[in-house]
Amino acid sequence: MNNHRALVVGATGLTGRNTAEHLAATGWEVYGMSRHPGTEAADVRPVAGDALDPASVGAVAEEVRATHLFYCTWLRQDTEDLNIEVNGAMTRNTLDAAGRVGTLEHVALVTGLKHYLGPFEAYAQNPAQPPFRESQPRLEYKNFYYDQEDIIFAAAERYGFRWSVHRPHTVVGYALGNAMNMGVTLAVYATIARETGRPFVFPGSPEQYDGTTDITDARLLARHLAWAATSPAGANEAFNTVNGDTFQWRRMWEVVAEGLGVEAAPYFGHPSPLVEQMADAPAVWRGIAEKYDLAEPNVDRLAPWWHTDSDLGRTVETYADMTKSREAGFSDVQDSERSFLDLFDRLRKARIIPAR
């Protein structure tokens, strides 16, 4: 991969960090762009850049002269109109800057299953039917994912690069300070439950507890991105990106609890949102961090309660089909139980949660 120079946009986030880590480990020259560099994976060269500032991202593009760009970032806004405006500008600025340099061969864009579920303002109100397939039409809602896709299509035609779009489900993996990180959130929740004697109860809906679902391991997503960026069969295609197995939270909650050393409480039969349960978490976590000498005493950098509530509180089944990737040659799979258990082991080693 000596001739492959990657620019990972959002390199300190959940998908970006794991993508950069995988690329660097497999021989790529990797640059990680973020607004505040410093927590990138090993062997990733940090560069400071703000995708909202054309001059800033233009300077990064000229410095890096990437052959492959992995776009793994977004900024959450209060409305979908603002999501479209802000995230569209970030995507457009980045692709124009990298495209003008003239070295770009492939751009991989990470979006998600809100492509099928709808935006936050109409989330799961009238979704596509699972299993989600790439051939299903767009929903009749405004959605910044759709705008990002249209931007990449136009830029590819203008600058002559290949593209791929990747639609993961809930991503589980190692990263801190991320706005959408269920695995770390559950680890923090279980630690607080164990230390305070609170019940570690599934906080979501009956439909999620008993329904079929899936997740995406950040490591598998990274491998999928690298495959699409270098395989002719991955060029100019949109792909679902999930582990390849399905599960019910009724079973997985027991696995998560055991992996975190806490007893799974009986399900209440109705949602008990973490936003409400964890109202006192900042003070409680500071005490836990001091007791066990943990690396991060600020719980707000670890646990986005709102996002886990959103995922686990859905009233529809949510899982995606991977046939298109399989037929194109990507046969990789990931056991979802191991996704959680491997993450918990890494969090202990990094002193993010207490050792057993």
Side-chain angles (χ1 to χ4, degrees), residues 106 108-112 164-168 221 224-225 228 238-241:
H106 188 100
L109 170 68
V110 178
T111 61
S164 58
V165 175
H166 302 257
R167 300 169 184 163
L221 174 57
H224 196 251
L225 286 162
F239 295 102
N240 296 330
T241 311

Side-chain angles (χ1 to χ4, degrees), residues 1 20 28 36 65 67 75 77 94 96 104 126 142 154 164 172 180 194 204 207 226 237 267 270-271 306 311 338:
M1 298 298 177
W28 290 59
H36 306 290
R65 304 187 68 81
T67 60
L75 285 177
Q77 305 299 308
T94 302
D96 281 342
L104 202 55
N126 188 25
K142 294 180 180 179
S164 58
V172 173
M180 302 171 67
R194 188 176 66 241
E207 291 85 354
E237 297 287 351
Y267 180 49
H270 58 79
W306 69 271
D311 267 6
R338 283 257 55 95

Side-chain angles (χ1 to χ4, degrees), residues 40-291:
E40 296 81 4
D43 299 320
V44 175
R45 305 179 189 189
V47 288
D50 183 352
L52 276 173
D53 181 350
S56 172
V57 74
V60 170
E62 287 288 351
E63 175 187 350
V64 175
R65 304 187 68 81
T67 60
H68 296 73
L69 189 149
F70 299 86
Y71 194 88
C72 305
T73 191
W74 74 295
L75 285 177
R76 186 188 181 202
Q77 305 299 308
D78 290 337
T79 67
E80 195 61 19
D81 283 334
L82 284 174
N83 273 327
I84 290 169
E85 177 184 342
V86 171
N87 289 285
M90 291 168 59
T91 307
R92 189 177 295 106
N93 291 343
T94 302
L95 297 186
D96 281 342
R100 283 193 296 266
V101 171
T103 58
L104 202 55
E105 299 174 12
H106 188 100
V107 173
L109 170 68
V110 178
T111 61
L113 292 197
K114 286 192 293 296
H115 184 96
Y116 308 105
L117 289 163
F120 287 118
E121 293 176 3
Y123 191 57
Q125 291 181 13
N126 188 25
Q129 291 295 312
F132 300 143
R133 294 184 173 89
E134 297 89 341
S135 58
Q136 290 171 310
R138 292 177 175 181
L139 303 179
E140 296 296 323
Y141 295 110
K142 294 180 180 179
N143 191 324
F144 82 89
Y145 286 172
Y146 302 162
D147 287 75
Q148 285 184 308
E149 288 188 349
D150 291 341
I151 290 166
I152 197 174
F153 300 158
E157 185 172 348
R158 186 160 56 250
Y159 298 113
F161 58 76
R162 302 182 303 272
W163 58 265
S164 58
V165 175
H166 302 257
R167 300 169 184 163
H169 194 178
T170 301
V171 181
V172 173
Y174 183 81
L176 307 180
N178 186 260
M180 302 171 67
N181 197 335
M182 177 192 286
V184 178
T185 300
L186 294 183
V188 171
Y189 173 32
T191 301
I192 291 175
R194 188 176 66 241
E195 290 293 312
T196 63
R198 304 178 192 185
F200 184 62
V201 63
F202 179 76
S205 69
E207 291 85 354
Q208 288 300 301
Y209 190 63
D210 288 315
T212 300
T213 193
D214 56 19
I215 58 172
T216 302
D217 192 303
R219 299 168 299 182
L220 179 131
L221 174 57
R223 298 192 295 270
H224 196 251
L225 286 162
W227 163 79
T230 55
S231 169
N236 304 328
E237 297 287 351
F239 295 102
N240 296 330
T241 311
V242 291
N243 281 356
D245 60 1
T246 58
F247 61 89
Q248 293 179 320
W249 274 108
R250 174 186 291 277
R251 161 63 183 162
M252 188 63 80
W253 199 250
E254 299 281 346
V255 173
V256 168
E258 183 177 355
L260 290 166
V262 66
E263 184 177 351
Y267 180 49
F268 293 160
H270 58 79
S272 49
L274 293 174
V275 166
E276 299 172 8
Q277 288 194 57
M278 296 290 110
D280 62 345
V284 172
W285 188 257
R286 280 195 299 271
I288 294 172
E290 182 177 356
K291 177 180 178 181

